[in-house]
């Protein structure tokens, strides 16, 4: 998981995954980290969740290749495209990438000029990210209009360096 926040998503995943599974989650924002750790402890799941503190840009490159069957991205939306190559290496064939909040309150389908000026960079980056996912020969992607939008991508072939 990229973007722990207070641990809500990680704890939901723990409730549904088999006992032998493990979650590795990354959080950068220092004020959220102790709250997430406390929530994991209260839920009795601290042994099944590893919280890595720091920037995903650096931490993703330190993780073991091909080890993550599922990656859930719910962090800095403007960074999704930058993280995609690193995530590709972390997932085996058949791995699933879930990208949250990809529809940006519906703004992603609007013209760049219809979006508030302060949101134009994130708008452009998210459109580039979705274009990459939908036109990739590595992923098969479906975009679901649930909540603020979710992209479900299945890695169907190995990434070639």
């Amino acid at each position: 998981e990229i973007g722990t926040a207070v641990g809500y998503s990680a704890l939901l995943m723990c409730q549904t995954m088999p006992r032998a599974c493990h979650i590795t989650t990354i959080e950068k924002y220092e004020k959220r980290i102790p709250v997430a750790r406390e929530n994991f402890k209260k839920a009795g799941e601290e042994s099944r969740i590893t919280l890595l503190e720091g920037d995903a840009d650096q931490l993703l490159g330190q993780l073991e290749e091909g080890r993550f069957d599922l990656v859930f991205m719910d962090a800095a939306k403007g960074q999704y495209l930058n993280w995609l190559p690193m995530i590709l290496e972390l997932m085996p064939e058949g791995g699933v990438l879930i990208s949250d909040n990809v529809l940006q309150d519906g703004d992603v389908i609007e013209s760049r000029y219809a979006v508030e000026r302060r949101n134009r960079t994130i708008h452009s980056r998210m459109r580039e990210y979705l274009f990459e996912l939908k036109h990739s020969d590595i992923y098969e992607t479906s975009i679901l209009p649930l909540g603020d939008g979710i992209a479900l991508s299945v890695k169907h072939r190995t990434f070639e360096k």
Side-chain angles (χ1 to χ4, degrees):
E1 176 185 40
I2 305 170
T4 312
V6 297
Y8 181 78
S9 297
L11 288 171
L12 282 178
M13 288 186 275
C14 269
Q15 289 177 359
T16 60
M17 68 186 195
R19 291 294 310 161
C21 290
H22 189 87
I23 293 174
T24 300
T25 184
I26 298 171
E27 181 56 50
K28 176 181 176 179
Y29 189 55
E30 292 176 8
K31 292 182 179 181
R32 290 185 185 140
I33 293 168
V35 176
R37 287 195 190 284
E38 183 61 24
N39 287 337
F40 299 155
K41 184 177 180 180
K42 283 180 186 175
E45 296 291 3
E46 65 266 75
S47 66
R48 294 200 312 153
I49 302 172
T50 299
L51 174 58
L52 303 178
E53 300 178 26
D55 197 320
D57 288 338
Q58 289 134 15
L59 294 172
L60 287 171
Q62 298 172 12
L63 298 174
E64 185 180 337
E65 289 187 19
R67 182 173 166 235
F68 296 90
D69 297 320
L70 175 80
V71 175
F72 177 56
M73 279 204 296
D74 189 18
K77 309 312 176 232
Q79 297 302 311
Y80 282 14
L81 188 60
N82 296 336
W83 295 331
L84 192 56
M86 290 181 272
I87 290 168
L88 276 172
E89 293 184 12
L90 296 176
M91 295 170 52
E93 280 189 42
V96 176
L97 169 61
I98 302 172
S99 308
D100 202 16
N101 305 116
V102 297
L103 295 181
Q104 301 280 292
D105 290 324
D107 282 351
V108 78
I109 62 169
E110 299 291 338
S111 162
R112 179 180 198 282
Y113 301 104
V115 176
E116 289 183 40
R117 185 180 199 100
R118 65 185 174 94
N119 293 332
R120 287 184 183 165
T121 300
I122 186 69
H123 174 266
S124 297
R125 288 183 180 168
M126 187 55 71
R127 284 179 70 134
E128 287 177 51
Y129 177 71
L130 291 174
F131 183 88
E132 181 66 28
L133 285 179
K134 288 300 288 180
H135 293 87
S136 170
D137 60 351
I138 297 168
Y139 284 116
E140 182 71 33
T141 298
S142 294
I143 299 170
L144 306 174
L146 300 171
D148 200 15
I150 295 172
L152 292 175
S153 305
V154 177
K155 184 178 176 184
H156 60 82
R157 72 179 193 81
T158 304
F159 178 64
E160 297 174 16
K161 291 183 183 181

